[in-house]
Amino acid sequence: MEIAARPSPAMPMRAHGLVAAKRSLLDRLAECAERGNLNRALAALTDYVGASHYLLARYDLSQDSGLDFVLCSDWPFDVVKRLGQLLNGLHAKSSEQEKCLSLLQPAFLILPDDVALGHGLSREYCAVTFCVGRERFSLMLLFPQDVILSRECLREIGLLTGYFASFAGRKVMRADRDFDLTERELECLYWIAEGKTSEEIALILGISRNTINNYITSVMRKTATKTRSEAIAYAVRNNLV
């Protein structure tokens, strides 16, 4: 007796799961767009592709000194500092034609051995470069050692990041990094990043040391940091100073 072969339900079920995941992602992005929250949008895109950490950078500014090219990131601070040097080297080796051909083509690169990563993270990272108008951006992702990122999904999130960055605009990006810090709090954050004590900042700003300490305490509360060093690292990572 012949038994008719039945198609495996695995592929339809998998396709259904991908559609549901993409629908959930678009719902999250729509909510982020309403609130103008770039960090949450990038976190949603990072989760969707299976990565663990995101960093959005102005790729065309990364050859300059400092960390001004970083728009927003949740990478470890020391890795972000090292990344600036790496990107500078890549710029020097790449022609303009190579840079254009690399757009929306996921690239997998290796971090140097001297970079300290969290437990379970791969030393390999992924970069997806795209343009918004005349500006070139790069979305860089860290991911766990046991995860294989889909190139198709990476291209999708590159396009979505470009759309969201274009929609958000510079003002929204800046507001997203500034949170609800006041001008005085930002001033105090800047001066502690410059290595000034509370007494020195009080003298510079012409207000009492206790008031300065209150501002700094408020900064740490709003940024969910526990020490001044953590607040400085957070500020540099999110381009607040």
Side-chain angles (χ1 to χ4, degrees), residues 16-17 25 31-32 35 56-57 61 93 102 117 126-127 135 141 159 163 196 200 213 239 241:
H16 177 75
L25 171 67
E31 182 181 348
C32 293
R35 300 181 179 181
L56 181 61
L61 294 183
K93 296 176 183 177
S102 69
L117 292 173
C126 176
E135 297 175 351
L141 303 171
L159 286 169
Y163 167 75
K196 302 297 184 183
E200 290 170 328
N213 287 335
N239 203 22
V241 295

mmCIF file of all heavy atoms in Angstrom, residues 16-17 25 31-32 35 56-57 61 93 102 117 126-127 135 141 159 163 196 200 213 239 241:
data_model
loop_
_atom_site.group_PDB
_atom_site.id
_atom_site.type_symbol
_atom_site.label_atom_id
_atom_site.label_comp_id
_atom_site.label_asym_id
_atom_site.label_seq_id
_atom_site.Cartn_x
_atom_site.Cartn_y
_atom_site.Cartn_z
ATOM 1 N N HIS A 16 5.367 31.830 9.213
ATOM 2 C CA HIS A 16 4.374 32.521 10.036
ATOM 3 C C HIS A 16 5.051 33.220 11.206
ATOM 4 O O HIS A 16 4.706 34.354 11.566
ATOM 5 C CB HIS A 16 3.335 31.520 10.540
ATOM 6 C CG HIS A 16 2.313 32.136 11.464
ATOM 7 N ND1 HIS A 16 1.296 32.945 11.006
ATOM 8 C CD2 HIS A 16 2.187 32.066 12.824
ATOM 9 C CE1 HIS A 16 0.567 33.356 12.040
ATOM 10 N NE2 HIS A 16 1.094 32.836 13.148
ATOM 11 N N GLY A 17 6.046 32.543 11.809
ATOM 12 C CA GLY A 17 6.772 33.141 12.926
ATOM 13 C C GLY A 17 7.532 34.386 12.511
ATOM 14 O O GLY A 17 7.571 35.378 13.252
ATOM 15 N N LEU A 25 7.829 43.940 15.375
ATOM 16 C CA LEU A 25 8.882 44.951 15.247
ATOM 17 C C LEU A 25 8.319 46.265 14.736
ATOM 18 O O LEU A 25 8.615 47.343 15.276
ATOM 19 C CB LEU A 25 9.969 44.449 14.296
ATOM 20 C CG LEU A 25 11.031 45.484 13.887
ATOM 21 C CD1 LEU A 25 11.872 45.877 15.085
ATOM 22 C CD2 LEU A 25 11.899 44.944 12.766
ATOM 23 N N GLU A 31 5.554 52.923 17.696
ATOM 24 C CA GLU A 31 5.446 53.541 19.027
ATOM 25 C C GLU A 31 6.661 54.437 19.292
ATOM 26 O O GLU A 31 6.521 55.544 19.813
ATOM 27 C CB GLU A 31 5.353 52.452 20.088
ATOM 28 C CG GLU A 31 5.199 52.991 21.504
ATOM 29 C CD GLU A 31 5.133 51.886 22.541
ATOM 30 O OE1 GLU A 31 4.968 50.708 22.151
ATOM 31 O OE2 GLU A 31 5.264 52.190 23.738
ATOM 32 N N CYS A 32 7.847 53.959 18.906
ATOM 33 C CA CYS A 32 9.061 54.763 19.097
ATOM 34 C C CYS A 32 9.018 56.024 18.246
ATOM 35 O O CYS A 32 9.481 57.095 18.663
ATOM 36 C CB CYS A 32 10.299 53.938 18.728
ATOM 37 S SG CYS A 32 10.626 52.546 19.835
ATOM 38 N N ARG A 35 7.006 58.760 19.824
ATOM 39 C CA ARG A 35 7.678 59.394 20.957
ATOM 40 C C ARG A 35 9.022 60.001 20.566
ATOM 41 O O ARG A 35 9.673 60.636 21.391
ATOM 42 C CB ARG A 35 7.883 58.368 22.071
ATOM 43 C CG ARG A 35 6.569 57.785 22.588
ATOM 44 C CD ARG A 35 6.826 56.794 23.701
ATOM 45 N NE ARG A 35 5.570 56.239 24.212
ATOM 46 C CZ ARG A 35 5.498 55.365 25.208
ATOM 47 N NH1 ARG A 35 6.602 54.952 25.805
ATOM 48 N NH2 ARG A 35 4.326 54.907 25.614
ATOM 49 N N LEU A 56 25.019 53.444 16.782
ATOM 50 C CA LEU A 56 24.733 54.169 15.545
ATOM 51 C C LEU A 56 25.721 55.319 15.434
ATOM 52 O O LEU A 56 25.839 56.135 16.353
ATOM 53 C CB LEU A 56 23.300 54.706 15.536
ATOM 54 C CG LEU A 56 22.883 55.477 14.266
ATOM 55 C CD1 LEU A 56 22.959 54.574 13.028
ATOM 56 C CD2 LEU A 56 21.477 56.041 14.410
ATOM 57 N N ALA A 57 26.433 55.379 14.313
ATOM 58 C CA ALA A 57 27.501 56.365 14.154
ATOM 59 C C ALA A 57 27.375 57.096 12.830
ATOM 60 O O ALA A 57 26.833 56.563 11.860
ATOM 61 C CB ALA A 57 28.863 55.677 14.223
ATOM 62 N N LEU A 61 32.054 60.928 9.806
ATOM 63 C CA LEU A 61 32.741 61.756 10.793
ATOM 64 C C LEU A 61 33.721 60.947 11.639
ATOM 65 O O LEU A 61 34.453 61.516 12.437
ATOM 66 C CB LEU A 61 31.732 62.421 11.742
ATOM 67 C CG LEU A 61 30.780 63.450 11.142
ATOM 68 C CD1 LEU A 61 29.914 64.039 12.252
ATOM 69 C CD2 LEU A 61 31.530 64.564 10.423
ATOM 70 N N LYS A 93 42.062 53.086 4.604
ATOM 71 C CA LYS A 93 42.323 51.997 3.672
ATOM 72 C C LYS A 93 41.259 51.864 2.586
ATOM 73 O O LYS A 93 41.455 51.143 1.611
ATOM 74 C CB LYS A 93 42.414 50.672 4.445
ATOM 75 C CG LYS A 93 43.574 50.609 5.432
ATOM 76 C CD LYS A 93 43.535 49.308 6.221
ATOM 77 C CE LYS A 93 44.636 49.261 7.265
ATOM 78 N NZ LYS A 93 44.567 48.031 8.089
ATOM 79 N N SER A 102 29.776 49.366 -0.422
ATOM 80 C CA SER A 102 29.514 48.673 0.845
ATOM 81 C C SER A 102 28.155 49.013 1.440
ATOM 82 O O SER A 102 27.745 48.399 2.430
ATOM 83 C CB SER A 102 30.606 49.030 1.856
ATOM 84 O OG SER A 102 30.503 50.389 2.254
ATOM 85 N N LEU A 117 35.625 42.431 26.298
ATOM 86 C CA LEU A 117 34.186 42.300 26.053
ATOM 87 C C LEU A 117 33.519 41.574 27.208
ATOM 88 O O LEU A 117 34.174 40.894 27.995
ATOM 89 C CB LEU A 117 33.945 41.525 24.755
ATOM 90 C CG LEU A 117 34.356 42.210 23.455
ATOM 91 C CD1 LEU A 117 34.219 41.243 22.297
ATOM 92 C CD2 LEU A 117 33.502 43.441 23.202
ATOM 93 N N CYS A 126 29.251 43.268 13.656
ATOM 94 C CA CYS A 126 28.676 43.499 12.330
ATOM 95 C C CYS A 126 28.439 44.986 12.120
ATOM 96 O O CYS A 126 28.028 45.692 13.047
ATOM 97 C CB CYS A 126 27.359 42.740 12.193
ATOM 98 S SG CYS A 126 26.517 43.059 10.623
ATOM 99 N N ALA A 127 28.690 45.458 10.907
ATOM 100 C CA ALA A 127 28.429 46.851 10.559
ATOM 101 C C ALA A 127 27.590 46.902 9.292
ATOM 102 O O ALA A 127 27.905 46.237 8.301
ATOM 103 C CB ALA A 127 29.742 47.602 10.353
ATOM 104 N N GLU A 135 24.474 62.267 4.247
ATOM 105 C CA GLU A 135 25.192 61.774 5.414
ATOM 106 C C GLU A 135 25.259 60.251 5.399
ATOM 107 O O GLU A 135 24.274 59.585 5.091
ATOM 108 C CB GLU A 135 24.521 62.262 6.699
ATOM 109 C CG GLU A 135 24.537 63.779 6.849
ATOM 110 C CD GLU A 135 23.765 64.242 8.064
ATOM 111 O OE1 GLU A 135 23.076 63.403 8.683
ATOM 112 O OE2 GLU A 135 23.839 65.434 8.404
ATOM 113 N N LEU A 141 26.742 46.280 15.425
ATOM 114 C CA LEU A 141 26.085 45.375 16.363
ATOM 115 C C LEU A 141 27.071 44.396 16.979
ATOM 116 O O LEU A 141 27.881 43.783 16.276
ATOM 117 C CB LEU A 141 24.990 44.584 15.641
ATOM 118 C CG LEU A 141 23.890 45.401 14.945
ATOM 119 C CD1 LEU A 141 23.025 44.487 14.094
ATOM 120 C CD2 LEU A 141 23.043 46.147 15.970
ATOM 121 N N LEU A 159 17.872 49.313 6.370
ATOM 122 C CA LEU A 159 16.883 50.176 5.712
ATOM 123 C C LEU A 159 15.969 50.842 6.732
ATOM 124 O O LEU A 159 15.675 52.043 6.645
ATOM 125 C CB LEU A 159 16.047 49.356 4.718
ATOM 126 C CG LEU A 159 16.741 48.951 3.420
ATOM 127 C CD1 LEU A 159 15.899 47.925 2.670
ATOM 128 C CD2 LEU A 159 16.980 50.178 2.540
ATOM 129 N N TYR A 163 15.490 54.788 7.572
ATOM 130 C CA TYR A 163 14.185 55.450 7.551
ATOM 131 C C TYR A 163 13.928 56.165 8.868
ATOM 132 O O TYR A 163 13.514 57.316 8.894
ATOM 133 C CB TYR A 163 13.079 54.430 7.294
ATOM 134 C CG TYR A 163 11.692 54.969 7.559
ATOM 135 C CD1 TYR A 163 11.093 55.841 6.660
ATOM 136 C CD2 TYR A 163 11.011 54.643 8.726
ATOM 137 C CE1 TYR A 163 9.828 56.367 6.916
ATOM 138 C CE2 TYR A 163 9.759 55.156 8.986
ATOM 139 C CZ TYR A 163 9.170 56.017 8.072
ATOM 140 O OH TYR A 163 7.936 56.530 8.344
ATOM 141 N N LYS A 196 36.953 68.200 36.982
ATOM 142 C CA LYS A 196 36.802 69.210 38.021
ATOM 143 C C LYS A 196 36.084 68.633 39.246
ATOM 144 O O LYS A 196 35.185 67.791 39.123
ATOM 145 C CB LYS A 196 36.013 70.407 37.494
ATOM 146 C CG LYS A 196 36.623 71.084 36.263
ATOM 147 C CD LYS A 196 37.984 71.674 36.537
ATOM 148 C CE LYS A 196 38.523 72.421 35.322
ATOM 149 N NZ LYS A 196 39.892 72.945 35.563
ATOM 150 N N GLU A 200 35.530 73.168 42.552
ATOM 151 C CA GLU A 200 35.983 73.888 41.357
ATOM 152 C C GLU A 200 34.814 74.262 40.447
ATOM 153 O O GLU A 200 34.766 75.368 39.899
ATOM 154 C CB GLU A 200 36.993 73.027 40.595
ATOM 155 C CG GLU A 200 38.323 72.873 41.318
ATOM 156 C CD GLU A 200 39.227 71.839 40.680
ATOM 157 O OE1 GLU A 200 38.703 70.841 40.124
ATOM 158 O OE2 GLU A 200 40.455 71.999 40.741
ATOM 159 N N ASN A 213 26.536 69.507 44.022
ATOM 160 C CA ASN A 213 26.352 68.095 44.377
ATOM 161 C C ASN A 213 24.920 67.635 44.116
ATOM 162 O O ASN A 213 24.689 66.493 43.695
ATOM 163 C CB ASN A 213 26.714 67.868 45.840
ATOM 164 C CG ASN A 213 28.214 67.924 46.080
ATOM 165 O OD1 ASN A 213 28.994 67.680 45.168
ATOM 166 N ND2 ASN A 213 28.621 68.267 47.302
ATOM 167 N N ASN A 239 27.120 60.817 23.778
ATOM 168 C CA ASN A 239 27.445 62.112 23.149
ATOM 169 C C ASN A 239 26.757 63.270 23.845
ATOM 170 O O ASN A 239 26.263 64.201 23.211
ATOM 171 C CB ASN A 239 27.074 62.082 21.662
ATOM 172 C CG ASN A 239 27.861 63.102 20.862
ATOM 173 O OD1 ASN A 239 28.935 63.545 21.281
ATOM 174 N ND2 ASN A 239 27.331 63.483 19.726
ATOM 175 N N VAL A 241 28.393 65.132 26.222
ATOM 176 C CA VAL A 241 29.413 66.142 26.510
ATOM 177 C C VAL A 241 30.408 66.204 25.367
ATOM 178 O O VAL A 241 30.473 65.294 24.543
ATOM 179 C CB VAL A 241 30.157 65.830 27.836
ATOM 180 C CG1 VAL A 241 29.200 65.916 29.011
ATOM 181 C CG2 VAL A 241 30.823 64.462 27.783
#
